[in-house]
Amino acid sequence: MPSNKLQSAGNCWLQQGRNGRCQVLYMQGMSKEECCRSGRLGTSWTEEDVPNSTLFKWIIFNGGAPNCIPCKESCDNVDCGPGKRCKMNRRSKPRCVCAPDCSNITWKGPVCGLDGKTYKDECALLKAKCRGHPDLDVQYQGKCKKTCRDVLCPGSSTCVVDQTNNAYCVMCNRLCPEATSPEQYLCGNDGIIYASACHLRKATCLLGKSIGVAYEGKCIKAKSCEDIQCSGGKKCLWDSRMGRGRCSLCDESCQESRTDESVCASDNTTYPSECAMKQAACSKGVLLEVKHSGPCNSKHPASQSEQETIFIHLNSLELPSMCW
């Protein structure tokens, strides 16, 4: 005859799935009172004292344990944490949903997030942050842009355009430690040797445009990609205009492109998207860059030659002791 303790002991679970079964086993041999003591929404309990083989079968093949008893049946005394509130769903089950406090937000227009995506307002960004992106914050007001021209960065942050022409607000720090190992040297896409990643970032911060890493180590006088060794599964793409090679990742898969995603590349060919352009570059083994968005026969306010002139001029400036 089993004891009362064994009769009251069951299995404690961290959540009840939409199929009504208990999922994510927390601990075995717990009474319902012990299991539900935390008051955490989603915690559930099953009273069956079954062997581990049965539990394994339920979890792997059956979508969870049957006869699932949720600890909370209402929103009474449920603390969902900051930015969330308890709400009864259509099946009359309490659930924590994202409900950030947007009452103090003064800017009502779109904002650009740290993930490079545009949100219709800051409240929409806070909801996305609550739904699994805890590091997501606003980097600047307005839609995400492809140029720093109209970007107003908050505080002392500086606008920088990355290698995909997206504008970001970054902080420029002041000190870069001296390189202590030859392994720290990097060859920039501009053909300049940088003592470390910090030294490359400080140059990027002053320039306002991403320089990027061509390959690890000091720059060499390469005649072709055969002279350059790429690490990390990257492939060398040759820049015939500059006579330099660049190591790039070539395993990106492209989603179906929209009509407004076409780009004009440096080979004066229109590609359905920037991703498609990169795939073509990897296939040909040559470096392709975006000249401007839209097809090559469309008018664009700034020509590539003008942009290159600005880039080369800024890159020739003496760099102060700053690093981002």
Side-chain angles (χ1 to χ4, degrees):
M1 185 78 178
S3 65
N4 290 334
K5 183 178 180 180
L6 288 175
Q7 285 181 341
S8 62
N11 298 302
C12 191
W13 306 78
L14 292 181
Q15 68 183 39
Q16 183 183 33
R18 294 188 176 184
N19 58 7
R21 291 174 173 263
C22 281
Q23 299 173 346
V24 189
L25 181 63
Y26 172 64
M27 189 173 292
Q28 296 174 260
M30 290 187 75
S31 67
K32 184 180 180 183
E33 290 72 21
E34 291 171 327
C35 178
C36 298
R37 191 173 293 160
S38 67
R40 179 185 175 276
L41 187 63
T43 303
S44 303
W45 184 76
T46 52
E47 63 178 350
E48 289 88 353
D49 183 17
V50 296
N52 289 338
S53 59
T54 303
L55 285 175
F56 179 82
K57 178 182 176 183
W58 283 346
I59 295 170
I60 301 299
F61 301 108
N62 295 1
N67 305 319
C68 188
I69 303 171
C71 290
K72 290 284 187 180
E73 293 285 2
S74 72
C75 283
D76 295 341
N77 301 316
V78 173
D79 181 12
C80 291
K84 295 183 179 182
R85 66 181 177 87
C86 184
K87 181 181 179 181
M88 302 298 290
N89 65 11
R90 294 178 179 178
R91 295 175 298 149
S92 299
K93 298 291 182 182
R95 289 289 182 267
C96 286
V97 297
C98 292
D101 182 8
C102 302
S103 58
N104 295 326
I105 296 175
T106 55
W107 174 258
K108 303 300 181 182
V111 295
C112 182
L114 283 176
D115 57 354
K117 296 180 180 179
T118 299
Y119 294 85
K120 68 175 184 178
D121 52 38
E122 188 173 347
C123 196
L125 181 142
L126 290 175
K127 288 180 181 178
K129 181 175 183 175
C130 169
R131 290 172 182 152
H133 302 279
D135 297 327
L136 181 60
D137 284 306
V138 175
Q139 59 169 334
Y140 54 85
Q141 295 176 345
K143 295 181 179 180
C144 292
K145 296 179 174 62
K146 291 285 188 181
T147 172
C148 285
R149 190 181 302 119
D150 300 318
V151 175
L152 181 62
C153 291
S156 57
S157 59
T158 301
C159 183
V160 171
V161 178
D162 70 5
Q163 287 176 279
T164 58
N165 297 319
N166 293 310
Y168 287 88
C169 290
V170 300
M171 291 298 297
C172 293
N173 298 323
R174 292 190 175 274
L175 297 175
C176 273
E178 292 299 321
T180 58
S181 169
E183 296 177 354
Q184 291 182 264
Y185 283 101
L186 297 172
C187 180
N189 287 335
D190 53 1
I192 295 176
I193 300 171
Y194 294 93
S196 69
C198 181
H199 288 84
L200 188 145
R201 288 196 299 269
K202 77 176 181 183
T204 292
C205 216
L206 175 69
L207 184 62
K209 181 179 177 68
S210 175
I211 297 170
V213 178
Y215 46 86
E216 297 175 358
K218 294 184 177 182
C219 299
I220 61 173
K221 292 184 178 179
K223 295 181 179 179
S224 69
C225 273
E226 293 180 0
D227 300 327
I228 298 172
Q229 291 185 342
C230 295
S231 60
K234 295 182 178 180
K235 178 180 179 180
C236 178
L237 304 180
W238 189 253
D239 183 353
S240 56
R241 183 176 62 88
M242 301 299 294
R244 292 197 290 259
R246 180 184 303 183
C247 295
S248 302
L249 285 171
C250 284
D251 58 354
E252 186 177 3
S253 59
C254 300
Q255 298 178 346
E256 187 175 348
S257 306
R258 302 194 307 267
T259 54
D260 61 347
E261 291 182 327
S262 62
V263 295
C264 179
S266 51
D267 62 348
N268 293 317
T269 300
T270 300
Y271 294 91
S273 67
E274 188 171 341
C275 182
M277 180 199 72
K278 291 178 180 178
Q279 283 190 334
C282 287
S283 176
K284 298 174 182 178
V286 297
L287 179 68
L288 295 177
E289 294 181 313
V290 176
K291 288 179 66 175
H292 59 78
S293 58
C296 289
N297 57 4
S298 64
K299 293 182 179 180
H300 196 258
S303 68
Q304 181 71 2
S305 59
E306 291 172 337
Q307 294 173 3
E308 289 167 357
T309 301
I310 295 170
F311 182 90
I312 293 169
H313 173 69
L314 288 173
N315 200 38
S316 65
L317 296 176
E318 184 179 352
L319 300 178
S321 298
M322 295 172 59
C323 91
W324 144 42

